[in-house]
Amino acid sequence: MHLPTFSSLRSRIIFVVGLLTFVGLIILTVANMLIAKNHSAQSLNAQTTALARSHAESVGLWVAARQQVVRSMAAAADMPDPIEALKQAKIAGSVDTAYVGFPDKRMIFSVPQDLPPGYDPTIRPWYQQASASSNVALTEPYVDAATKKLVMTFAGAVKDGGTVKAVTALDVFMDGVVSNVASIRPTPNTMGFIVSKGGKIIVHEDTALVLKPVTDIAPILG
């Protein structure tokens, strides 16, 4: 029976210690990489969340400002000639059109419109939605009867008791809204879009996705 020599035993010990040190360094390196990756992900998530909240607040302020303009238009419903008031409302709201519709189907616009024959404002979504609400309504995107473009409308009913005297409204074409929202890109591979409380896509740079369920593009948001 041959016993290992001192030199061979020492070599084995050195080998084992070296191997353990090497393995330990690999584990430490991997652990540091995972910690750094997790920290980066948390930091990016925090920055993205803060940016999203900031833009959401800006959109909220934008909506509130136009709702206030619609409320201020209520007096125009009683004016013999409200065109000047509507022009001022258009400027104040930085919108595409300001107008007022009446129960007798009359329409008065801030600028002339090429409406189809027999146009009836009382059956339009903006008129009905405003008539049924005590606040200024904001419609989902729909096709504008005059321009055939996608538009959103802020509309408020002017009431005498429970009777609707008129509905005042502001139109915002979606192409302008889309360009602003599309500029929201926290990182090169991300994009901004707006979703309704009901889960429908309201604003997206791909107009084919408008009014589709948000789960079509992000199932996790369901």
Side-chain angles (χ1 to χ4, degrees):
M1 180 177 181
H2 298 283
L3 296 176
T5 62
F6 176 76
S7 60
S8 63
L9 181 61
R10 184 177 64 178
S11 298
R12 292 179 182 179
I13 293 174
I14 292 173
F15 173 77
V16 171
V17 171
L19 180 62
L20 292 175
T21 302
F22 177 72
V23 172
L25 288 174
I26 291 177
I27 293 173
L28 181 61
T29 301
V30 172
N32 286 336
M33 289 176 61
L34 291 175
I35 292 172
K37 182 179 180 180
N38 183 59
H39 178 73
S40 298
Q42 290 180 347
S43 177
L44 179 60
N45 182 61
Q47 293 175 7
T48 303
T49 300
L51 183 62
R53 287 176 176 169
S54 175
H55 283 294
E57 290 176 0
S58 297
V59 171
L61 292 174
W62 180 83
V63 169
R66 279 136 195 87
Q67 288 176 326
Q68 186 56 43
V69 172
V70 171
R71 293 187 187 99
S72 71
M73 293 166 61
D78 294 321
M79 295 179 180
D81 185 5
I83 292 180
E84 287 304 317
L86 296 177
K87 288 180 179 179
Q88 290 302 314
K90 177 182 181 299
I91 295 171
S94 297
V95 295
D96 297 284
T97 316
Y99 51 95
V100 56
F102 297 91
D104 62 5
K105 303 182 182 181
R106 286 182 299 124
M107 289 284 294
I108 302 176
F109 292 90
S110 56
V111 292
Q113 301 289 306
D114 185 20
L115 294 175
Y119 179 84
D120 182 356
T122 64
I123 64 174
R124 299 296 290 176
W126 55 270
Y127 192 103
Q128 294 187 349
Q129 194 171 329
S131 298
S133 175
S134 58
N135 296 314
V136 175
L138 175 57
T139 69
E140 292 184 344
Y142 64 94
V143 177
D144 179 56
T147 64
K148 307 305 179 185
K149 296 171 64 175
L150 274 178
V151 64
M152 294 174 66
T153 299
F154 294 86
V158 181
K159 298 181 179 179
D160 182 6
T163 303
V164 176
K165 295 169 52 180
V167 171
T168 56
L170 302 174
D171 275 356
V172 181
F173 290 134
M174 295 301 298
D175 48 7
V177 179
V178 168
S179 64
N180 288 331
V181 174
S183 67
I184 303 173
R185 291 188 179 278
T187 63
N189 294 322
T190 59
M191 66 179 64
F193 55 92
I194 298 177
V195 180
S196 71
K197 290 182 179 179
K200 288 183 180 180
I201 300 171
I202 300 299
V203 181
H204 196 285
E205 61 185 61
D206 183 355
T207 55
L209 294 174
V210 173
L211 298 183
K212 297 288 184 64
V214 68
T215 50
D216 282 5
I217 60 172
I220 193 173
L221 295 180

